[in-house]
Amino acid sequence: TATPRQLESLIRLSEAHARMRFSGEVEKVDVAEAIRLVKVAIQQAAIDPHTGLIDMDLISTGRSAASRGHVQELAKQLKLVIQRSPSSSFTFEQLYSYFTSQCSRDDTQAQVQEALHLLQEEEFVAFTNDTKSMRIVKL
């Protein structure tokens, strides 16, 4: 089913295509081209660039299922590393360095931060601010 906004977009695209043909009236060919353009745009927006597969999560959440799964797996590995660590408090830099030395992964700092936020939501770690920097504390 289509929303009123989507239908209005199809009308505007059809009218624009008719104007490109220097026609004062919208014809079936204009509507067909508008529909084709919308289908192609949706398909391109839904293709995960890493897998090459259509992933509707990209349209509904802005994030692919594969990317979300990667961060969840990273959070599991981070949790294991933190559990095995002799320390209970880290700066982000210490934890990132320790994590990369313990695991043979090439995750970016942004990915590790995102995984840490998942662990915070699970109440496995907490973030505290001291006078010099943010610290990560395992609970």
Side-chain angles (χ1 to χ4, degrees):
T1 62
T3 65
R5 179 175 274 180
Q6 290 167 327
L7 293 173
E8 290 169 358
S9 294
L10 284 174
I11 291 168
R12 285 192 301 276
L13 285 169
S14 299
E15 290 171 342
H17 191 264
R19 283 192 302 275
M20 285 175 46
R21 293 185 310 99
F22 302 108
S23 173
E25 294 182 9
V26 174
E27 298 175 6
K28 285 184 180 182
V29 67
D30 302 311
V31 175
E33 181 61 12
I35 291 170
R36 187 193 71 77
L37 286 170
V38 169
K39 283 181 179 179
V40 168
I42 290 171
Q43 184 179 16
Q44 286 180 349
I47 292 179
D48 182 344
H50 300 291
T51 65
L53 301 173
I54 292 178
D55 185 348
M56 291 309 290
D57 284 356
L58 277 171
I59 290 178
S60 59
T61 67
R63 165 167 236 173
S64 72
S67 173
R68 193 172 47 260
H70 175 79
V71 171
Q72 289 170 342
E73 178 60 31
L74 178 57
K76 286 180 190 176
Q77 291 211 351
L78 258 174
K79 191 174 190 176
L80 288 173
V81 168
I82 292 170
Q83 285 171 332
R84 294 180 188 148
S85 168
S87 178
S88 64
S89 176
F90 316 85
T91 64
F92 176 78
E93 291 75 19
Q94 289 169 331
L95 179 60
Y96 184 74
S97 177
Y98 183 69
F99 177 71
T100 54
S101 71
Q102 296 295 310
C103 299
S104 57
R105 297 178 61 110
D106 59 346
D107 299 294
T108 66
Q109 288 188 358
Q111 290 169 319
V112 172
Q113 286 175 336
E114 191 173 350
L116 281 170
H117 285 287
L118 283 179
L119 294 179
Q120 181 185 29
E121 289 173 8
E122 293 176 12
E123 297 183 356
F124 179 75
V125 297
F127 301 111
T128 62
N129 288 322
D130 60 21
T131 56
K132 295 189 180 186
S133 66
M134 178 185 76
R135 295 193 68 76
I136 301 154
V137 181
K138 67 179 166 183
L139 301 175

